[in-house]
């Protein structure tokens, strides 16, 4: 009887390791500085996490299929630059398009998201149609997007100057909130939460979501089951692209500007968050709450360790250790005795 | 022939869960002879060789080499004892050249100062010498991937010889060789014999055995039938000794009534691949169970995978319910009302990391999509539960990962998956492979029930009793060609075996 109990506890810890680590981390930091447990800190962490969550949820689907996307960060940068260039205040002196009339907020956002969606679609097409390994296909796309973004960014009269003076409607989206003061709820957090809910529904409640898990679980069996592999892969990469686009818009909105270097290596953070959150790098395994916890762990490390004055270089070492340890631990869940 | 044995395997037994793979088998090989090991698929030939090669540990029995008892734990130890094996599937690294493949794991080395390098020149010389000795014309620096399959086969033989082996196991060595190349292989085998090497020759091709073997050991159902000098054997004697087993009540009664209405007609179906199926024509009737028999390499799997849209077809027509159809993807086949249980359950059947529920529903998801585009979870669960219960799948719950179930239960989940799509034609590829005896009976019962409900079944089996026990008609293939049909009284193991070897050299 006691044996079964201890087995149950062990099982519980294995299945929920990521959440336990997150809670222990928060408790540990609070132990050193109790002020960490506060609404302000919590809100800051959530704001920091918002765009990362959106990017990670895009890459989540791709990793579920057994792939990876190295172009995510550059797509974020591209979307940020496009949005910023199209939404500057009329009275700003160094406008990207000096004679551009005021566009409604939604139009530039849709353009940026659509362009990133297209880039994703091309990724998916190349992976599905030509069988190029996703690592390579998206590495190429990463470089191409950066080049294209830099050409755009370098157009006269901008000539590679940081784009600033963003329209208030946009910056409000990134920094504004419902309500005021201590208990206000930032728009950006609401958007990330909505995206998380939608992605959860897609992953768990739609035919497409089930197909994605099946393709990642065993692509040959999926083919025999009558699933159109190519079509589903293209939708996965396109959807991820759209999410990067949205994240790029929000990055511009949050920081009030954009350069072609926005988003650099964000894909690595997103991949790390996914694998720490229990998404199997070989595909087929992973849950949305796990991804959220993965992102939050890194935000808590960033914010919390800075809060208690840990040297940022030490933070990097801690992050690296967590990535490797989490995956080594996670693999035990599914490894079967031979 | 001398009386000493180079290899003795005495009283070997090996049991797997639910099946006695080897039962007190004794197998002795004399130096400088060719000893053929024969039996149906599943008779225990491979298991015996795997025991010899250290891949399986026998439950009982001993292995002696040159009269000394040995314990072999792995392939390397087998090689150290002078036993090497040419596998049925090729194991070469196709991207590297010939000599690297031959000396892999034991490269000749040279030292220059404190560093150790591979001695390429010695490796080239040794390889050349090896080929010259065997009178093979292969360039040691050729990239293996650019060679023809038959030349790779020769390379594998050379590699086996290069270990200075006392015993070489050849598992279907002629399967990818032309007639001319087989002659050369026999030349090489005779050379090896003269040097005192013993050859264990595993093949289905009886003519070949009679030509090259000195002695023949025949296995059946994991037991040794006997050992005879090849000179005393004939084609018919070998067949009857391989298959002569009494049929007991291993199959459920079948109450299906095949109608005269054709549901599927295939005319002249031909693969674009040279070695694959050619000019296959047959008809499948409503409520019929059609078995497909043949030996390994008869291209049966390729044929039904082509019917299901998984493989390309060069010529030929398929008529479904009287209408000509083009099936170029599994999705098309599924929509027509066909389903396929593949031979490789793990590789192409189950989703190991998903649970029983998802594994059961995956082929039928479109039926559960509600008008708001979301899946109807309660319906999904109810249907999966119904199917799983109907087929008596033994699983703790629908949430159990399928990889935690036994092979037989995994297979039943796959049946459940396809039954949910309400198919009219079921293609089953070795539906009872790797399943213990009890579960086999349950699979047979499912097949009999489905046929009784008017569904049509095509099933491939390499076990002749299974074909005879379950099929209304048996279609036999040999080397990609249709060699004939047998049914009723004519459906005997001898007749099937004769058809299965009809076009063999």
């Amino acid at each position: 009887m006691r044996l079964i109990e201890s087995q149950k506890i062990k099982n519980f810890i294995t299945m929920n390791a990521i959440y336990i680590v997150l809670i222990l981390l928060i408790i540990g930091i609070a132990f050193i500085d109790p002020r960490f447990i506060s609404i302000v800190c919590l809100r800051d962490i959530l704001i920091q996490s918002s765009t990362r969550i959106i990017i990670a949820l895009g890459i989540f689907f791709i990793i579920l299929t057994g792939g990876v996307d190295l172009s995510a960060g550059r797509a974020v940068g591209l979307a940020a630059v496009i949005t910023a260039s199209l939404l500057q205040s009329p009275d700003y002196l160094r406008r990207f398009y000096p004679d551009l009339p005021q566009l409604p907020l939604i139009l530039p956002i849709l353009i940026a998201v659509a362009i990133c969606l297209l880039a994703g679609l091309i990724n998916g097409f190349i992976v599905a149609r030509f069988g190029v390994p996703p690592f390579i296909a998206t590495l190429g796309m990463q470089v191409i997007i950066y080049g294209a973004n830099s050409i755009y960014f370098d157009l006269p009269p901008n000539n590679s100057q940081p784009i600033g003076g963003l329209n208030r409607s946009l910056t409000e989206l990134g920094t504004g909130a419902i309500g005021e003061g201590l208990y206000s709820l930032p728009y950006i957090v609401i958007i990330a939460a909505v995206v998380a809910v939608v992605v959860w529904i897609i992953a768990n409640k739609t035919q497409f979501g089930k197909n994605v898990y099946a393709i990642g679980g065993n692509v040959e069996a999926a083919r025999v089951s009558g699933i159109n592999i190519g079509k589903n892969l293209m939708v996965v990469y396109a959807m991820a692209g759209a999410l990067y686009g949205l994240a790029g818009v929000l990055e511009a909105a949050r920081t009030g500007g954009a350069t072609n270097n926005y988003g650099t290596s964000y894909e690595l953070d997103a991949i790390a968050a996914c694998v720490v959150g229990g998404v199997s790098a070989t595909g087929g395994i992973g849950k949305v709450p796990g991804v959220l916890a993965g992102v939050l762990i890194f935000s808590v490390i960033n914010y919390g360790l800075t809060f208690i004055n840990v040297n940022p270089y030490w933070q990097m070492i801690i992050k690296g250790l967590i990535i490797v340890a989490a995956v080594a631990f996670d693999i035990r869940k599914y490894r079967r005795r031979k | 022939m001398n009386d000493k044995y180079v290899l003795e395997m005495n009283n070997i037994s090996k049991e797997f869960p639910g099946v006695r793979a080897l039962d007190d088998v004794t197998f002795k090989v004399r130096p400088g002879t060719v000893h053929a090991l024969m039996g149906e698929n599943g008779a225990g030939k491979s298991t015996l060789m795997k025991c010899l090669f250290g891949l399986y540990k026998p439950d009982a029995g001993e292995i002696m080499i040159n009269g000394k008892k040995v314990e072999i734990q792995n392939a390397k130890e087998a090689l150290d004892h002078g036993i090497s094996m040419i596998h049925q599937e090729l194991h070469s690294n196709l991207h590297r050249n010939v000599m690297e493949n031959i000396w892999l794991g034991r490269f000749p080395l040279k030292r220059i100062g404190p560093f150790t390098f591979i001695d390429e020149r010695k490796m080239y010389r040794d390889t050349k010498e090896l080929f010259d000795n065997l009178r093979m014309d292969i360039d040691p620096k050729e990239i293996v991937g650019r060679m023809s399959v038959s030349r790779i086969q020769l390379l594998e033989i050379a590699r086996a010889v290069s270990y200075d082996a006392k015993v070489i196991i050849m598992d279907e060595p002629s399967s990818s060789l032309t007639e001319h190349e087989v002659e050369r292989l026999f030349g090489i085998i005779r050379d090896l014999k003269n040097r005192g090497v013993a050859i264990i020759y595993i093949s289905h091709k009886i003519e070949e055995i009679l030509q090259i073997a000195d002695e023949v050991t025949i296995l059946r159902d994991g037991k040794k039938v006997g050992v005879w000098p090849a000179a005393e054997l004939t084609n018919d004697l070998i067949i009857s000794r391989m298959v002569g087993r009494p049929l007991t009540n291993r199959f459920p009664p079948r109450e299906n009534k095949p109608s005269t209405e054709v549901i599927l007609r295939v005319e002249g179906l031909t693969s674009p691949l040279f070695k694959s199926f050619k000019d296959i024509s047959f008809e499948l009737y409503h409520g019929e169970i059609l078995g497909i028999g043949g030996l390994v390499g008869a291209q049966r799997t390729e044929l039904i995978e082509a019917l299901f849209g998984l493989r390309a077809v060069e010529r030929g027509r398929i008529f479904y319910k009287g209408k000509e159809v083009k099936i170029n993807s599994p999705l098309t086949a599924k929509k027509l009302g066909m389903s396929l249980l593949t031979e490789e359950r793990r590789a192409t059947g189950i989703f190991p990391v998903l649970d029983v529920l998802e594994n059961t529903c995956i082929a039928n998801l479109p039926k559960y999509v509600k008008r708001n585009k979301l899946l109807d979870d309660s319906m999904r669960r109810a249907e999966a539960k119904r199917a799983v219960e109907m087929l008596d799948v033994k699983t703790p719950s629908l949430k159990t990962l399928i990889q935690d179930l036994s092979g037989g239960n995994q297979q039943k989940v796959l049946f459940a998956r396809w039954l949910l799509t309400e198919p009219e034609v079921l293609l089953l590829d070795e539906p009872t492979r790797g399943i213990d005896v009890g579960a086999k009976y349950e699979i047979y019962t499912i097949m009999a029930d489905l046929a009784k409900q008017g569904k049509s079944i095509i099933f491939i089996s390499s076990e002749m009793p299974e074909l005879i026990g379950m099929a209304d008609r048996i279609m036999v293939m040999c080397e990609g060609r249709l060699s004939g049909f047998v049914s009723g009284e004519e459906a005997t193991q001898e007749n099937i075996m004769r058809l299965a070897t009809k076009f063999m050299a």
Side-chain angles (χ1 to χ4, degrees), chain B residues 112-167:
Chain B
I112 300 177
F115 304 107
T116 306
F117 295 94
I118 290 174
D119 190 342
E120 297 260 349
R121 227 177 275 160
K122 178 168 171 16
M123 188 154 78
Y124 186 85
R125 270 201 318 270
D126 291 353
T127 316
K128 199 87 187 120
E129 197 186 309
L130 176 68
F131 286 142
D132 287 347
N133 268 334
L134 294 170
R135 277 174 278 155
M136 291 180 187
D137 178 29
I138 297 176
D139 176 5
K141 293 201 168 164
E142 198 170 348
I143 300 295
V144 175
R146 300 208 187 110
M147 294 164 52
S148 68
V149 177
S150 60
R151 281 166 69 78
I152 297 176
Q153 190 95 48
L154 293 178
L155 158 66
E156 296 276 337
I157 292 166
R159 169 155 64 186
V161 172
S162 75
Y163 283 96
D164 283 327
K166 294 189 285 256
V167 179

Side-chain angles (χ1 to χ4, degrees), chain A residues 18-19 22 57 60 196 200 204 277 286-296:
Chain A
I18 172 82
Y19 308 105
L22 182 57
L57 288 173
F60 163 65
W200 184 87
N204 292 290
K287 294 195 168 82
V288 171
V291 176
L292 300 184
V295 174
L296 284 175

Side-chain angles (χ1 to χ4, degrees), chain B residues 8 22 39 60 90 135 194 198 213 224 231 233 252 267 354 407 434 470:
Chain B
E8 293 172 66
L22 290 174
L90 305 173
R135 277 174 278 155
N194 291 338
K224 179 172 164 180
L233 291 170
E267 280 182 8
L354 300 185
M470 288 307 299

Side-chain angles (χ1 to χ4, degrees), chain B residues 220-272:
Chain B
R220 186 202 308 145
D221 288 341
K223 294 194 186 72
K224 179 172 164 180
V225 181
V227 54
W228 296 271
E232 293 175 11
L233 291 170
T234 63
N235 203 333
D236 286 358
L237 267 177
I238 290 178
I239 289 180
S240 68
R241 283 174 184 163
M242 272 167 63
V243 301
R245 112 186 78 190
L247 278 182
T248 49
N249 208 2
R250 286 170 53 199
F251 304 98
R254 282 181 292 116
E255 295 158 15
N256 61 313
K257 304 232 168 19
S259 75
T260 52
E261 202 182 326
V262 173
I263 180 156
L264 183 71
R265 191 164 96 237
V266 174
E267 280 182 8
L269 211 63
T270 301
S271 160

Side-chain angles (χ1 to χ4, degrees), chain B residues 24 37 56 132 147 153 194 198 207 213 225 278 301 310 328 334 394 414 420 428 498 500:
Chain B
D24 200 25
L37 186 56
Y56 291 150
D132 287 347
M147 294 164 52
Q153 190 95 48
N194 291 338
E207 298 298 330
V225 181
K278 276 185 227 26
T301 295
L310 278 165
N328 44 27
K334 192 168 93 176
K394 287 169 195 75
L414 295 185
L420 285 180
L428 314 175
R498 217 160 269 139

